[in-house]
Amino acid sequence: MTEMPARRPRQSWVGLWNISFGFFGIQVGFALQNANMSRIFQSLGTSLDDLPALWIAAPLTGLLVQPVIGHLSDRTWLGRLGRRRPYFLAGALLAGLALFVMPESPSLLVAAMMLWLLDASLNISMEPFRAFVGDMLDRDQHAAGYAVQTAFIGAGAVFGSIFPWLLERLGISNQAAAGGIPDTVRLAFWFGGAALVLAVVWTVLTTREYSPDEMARFHGSADPEEGAHVLRALAARSYGASVAWIAAGAVVVAGVAALRLEKEMYLLGGLLAAYGLASIAAVARAKRGQTPGLLGHIVGDFAGMPVLMKRLAVAQFFSWSALFIMWINTTPIVAGRFYGAPDAASPLYQEGANWVDVLFAAYNGIAAVAALTLLPLLSRRIGQARTHIVGLLCGAAGFASFFFIRDPRWLLASEIGVGIAWASILAMPYAILASSLPQRKLGIYMGLFNVFVVLPQLLVATVMGSITKHFFPTQPIWTLVFAAGALLFAAAAMTRVEAARR
């Protein structure tokens, strides 16, 4: 008889805390970046039209880093340091360095380079944390594990978002000379870097990963023919799909030139063509009988994603389009529309930017509470997919309400819907995936799933800049109307996920 796989030991709440506490620090870094990078860029002299281009570094690094880190971490074992924890630690140390240097940037170029380093480092730490929950918990604890992780994400984001505002209340100057960064932002980045490193070190020191032998008992031994399966699948593919990717990239590049769109859109065409070329290289290598290697595994796993993951990816695409629109545009929207200060040199602009920190802290705090209360309750009663639909509809209402509110204080009410959506986006898709994907490939699939987090951000950073410039150059509030529509599309896409799980 076939031996049944063993079950992982059930984790206590202390265990769940330790597994995900490092994500608190990672999210402090992301929150400082999301709430303050537009502010830093504008303070160093960039215009509203150029903000999306400067933000391209963040999603691009995630697109390149996460699948690679996912693949490598599935195959890493460094003894007592484990499988995922080496990546947590290395990414945290690099991110802490970037947070220390960022507010001292003397120019836009240095700030953009630090953003690139910061986001790459945060992605190195973040990607294995998603798979870490699946590694450490049995299936019946996946929802609880990702809920606790989401709560730490919310708590970390509250800390990171509100810290400049709190420092001002403590008497730290929030003013800066033209081209300078306020002391509130500088100190927030420094303390945030320290919090990031300490939180990740806590998880590294308080958790013990299961060894390869233990993991084999939980879900069976690794398939010795896995490389051969990938090799055969790639060798059987024609070059037609690869050529189609290259052609799509060429069409985008030609369209940008013909329609005189923003030059940053060339990046999108380049990425499509690059994937086509990578696919040709992987298929050609397989047809020659050579081992798949890193590139072959990534191309093969991307092409062979399970049906449920593909359907969930559509919802993820539209969800993160909406989020990235919010992160880029909320500061100029609030400062310009509600404080009458589109100029970054104005004291009122800095006041508006600090209120954005409070708003971002509010939606993250709501997300932390919703992750531990509302989402588990709804998930038990109506299922994970329907719970995600409810969350996305709440977010659409929150974004749309920005268009109708006139008093900035009432924007806190808008953040209730945004916070519920944020909690759901961070928890429900990953709980669905962790219970549905092969455990031995959880890292690479989580990394590939991040493509549908990153690709919409690249599109927003390129296409949205063109839309804003041509249709409402002085009214960025319309971008949040686009965000509300994107969440409605995401909710519609989740109905197909619900159908696939029946």
Side-chain angles (χ1 to χ4, degrees):
M1 295 180 62
T2 302
E3 185 179 351
M4 292 294 292
R7 298 194 66 171
R8 293 169 178 78
R10 189 170 183 83
Q11 293 284 345
S12 66
W13 279 103
V14 173
L16 294 176
W17 173 291
N18 291 337
I19 287 168
S20 289
F21 186 66
F23 226 126
F24 170 83
I26 293 171
Q27 198 58 34
V28 169
F30 272 120
L32 287 167
Q33 170 187 297
N34 293 337
N36 294 286
M37 284 313 302
S38 289
R39 178 184 194 175
I40 290 174
F41 286 147
Q42 286 188 286
S43 295
L44 291 173
T46 194
S47 68
L48 176 62
D49 292 339
D50 292 331
L51 283 179
L54 290 168
W55 274 84
I56 284 176
L60 181 59
T61 51
L63 181 65
L64 299 174
V65 166
Q66 288 217 22
V68 173
I69 296 300
H71 174 85
L72 294 176
S73 69
D74 280 341
R75 289 159 172 78
T76 295
W77 183 254
L78 296 182
R80 295 180 64 182
L81 196 54
R83 175 182 295 103
R84 316 289 183 186
R85 290 179 298 166
Y87 299 94
F88 303 164
L89 191 58
L93 292 174
L94 289 171
L97 174 64
L99 284 169
F100 183 82
V101 175
M102 179 78 74
E104 297 298 315
S105 299
S107 66
L108 275 174
L109 176 61
V110 174
M113 291 175 62
M114 286 301 101
L115 175 60
W116 195 293
L117 174 62
L118 174 61
D119 207 80
S121 305
L122 291 172
N123 275 285
I124 289 170
S125 282
M126 181 181 73
E127 197 286 330
F129 260 106
R130 296 295 193 192
F132 192 49
V133 173
D135 290 344
M136 300 297 294
L137 303 178
D138 213 51
R139 289 175 183 267
D140 64 353
Q141 280 199 294
H142 282 165
Y146 285 107
V148 171
Q149 190 174 89
T150 298
F152 276 126
I153 292 171
V158 169
F159 179 85
S161 297
I162 206 170
F163 203 45
W165 181 84
L166 287 175
L167 289 173
E168 184 186 16
R169 295 300 180 273
L170 293 174
I172 306 298
S173 173
N174 191 49
Q175 305 300 319
I181 307 299
D183 287 342
T184 52
V185 175
R186 180 178 290 104
L187 290 174
F189 271 64
W190 292 347
F191 281 108
L196 189 160
V197 173
L198 290 174
V200 170
V201 168
W202 177 279
T203 289
V204 170
L205 294 178
T206 59
T207 57
R208 183 189 71 83
E209 294 189 69
Y210 296 118
S211 70
D213 289 341
E214 289 173 308
M215 294 296 283
R217 291 199 298 272
F218 295 144
H219 51 72
S221 300
D223 183 359
E225 296 294 318
E226 181 183 329
H229 295 328
V230 173
L231 183 65
R232 287 194 292 269
L234 286 172
R237 295 182 65 185
S238 71
Y239 292 108
S242 303
V243 172
W245 284 102
I246 296 172
V251 169
V252 171
V253 170
V256 173
L259 300 176
R260 297 182 179 179
L261 300 177
E262 296 298 304
K263 61 183 181 299
E264 291 81 21
M265 291 186 64
Y266 284 117
L267 177 62
L268 176 61
L271 286 172
L272 295 174
Y275 177 75
L277 292 171
S279 180
I280 287 175
V283 172
R285 184 182 177 92
K287 289 182 182 297
R288 292 194 298 268
Q290 296 175 306
T291 56
L294 172 63
L295 182 62
H297 277 286
I298 291 176
V299 170
D301 288 331
F302 185 77
M305 286 188 300
V307 172
L308 183 140
M309 182 174 170
K310 291 178 181 178
R311 294 186 178 184
L312 192 58
V314 176
Q316 195 79 334
F317 176 90
F318 286 109
S319 300
W320 282 86
S321 296
L323 292 171
F324 204 60
I325 289 171
M326 173 186 71
W327 290 330
I328 290 178
N329 292 290
T330 300
T331 295
I333 286 171
V334 171
R337 182 179 177 87
F338 295 95
Y339 285 82
D343 184 1
S346 166
L348 279 177
Y349 176 93
Q350 298 298 339
E351 185 178 342
N354 270 11
W355 186 241
V356 172
D357 290 341
V358 175
L359 295 177
F360 279 21
Y363 87 72
N364 280 290
I366 290 164
V369 174
L372 295 177
T373 55
L374 178 63
L375 295 186
L377 176 64
L378 287 177
S379 184
R380 287 192 297 269
R381 293 191 176 184
I382 63 176
Q384 293 170 340
R386 291 180 181 176
T387 297
H388 195 34
I389 291 172
V390 171
L392 294 170
L393 293 176
C394 289
F399 284 140
S401 67
F402 267 70
F403 190 79
F404 301 101
I405 290 173
R406 293 294 179 265
D407 186 337
R409 292 173 296 180
W410 281 100
L411 294 176
L412 287 170
S414 304
E415 301 303 326
I416 296 173
V418 175
I420 294 172
W422 179 229
S424 189
I425 290 167
L426 291 174
M428 290 298 105
Y430 297 100
I432 293 170
L433 283 178
S435 300
S436 307
L437 295 175
Q439 292 295 302
R440 288 188 299 273
K441 304 187 81 172
L442 197 55
I444 180 60
Y445 275 133
M446 288 292 187
L448 290 172
F449 192 60
N450 186 62
V451 170
F452 304 99
V453 171
V454 171
L455 184 59
Q457 296 181 49
L458 288 173
L459 285 171
V460 168
T462 54
V463 177
M464 205 68 205
S466 296
I467 292 173
T468 302
K469 183 176 181 179
H470 287 91
F471 292 100
F472 31 87
T474 61
Q475 293 293 326
I477 185 65
W478 285 99
T479 60
L480 286 188
V481 177
F482 272 77
L487 288 185
L488 292 177
F489 276 112
M494 281 302 300
T495 61
R496 299 185 71 240
V497 176
E498 169 69 12
R501 300 196 83 197
R502 290 173 184 167

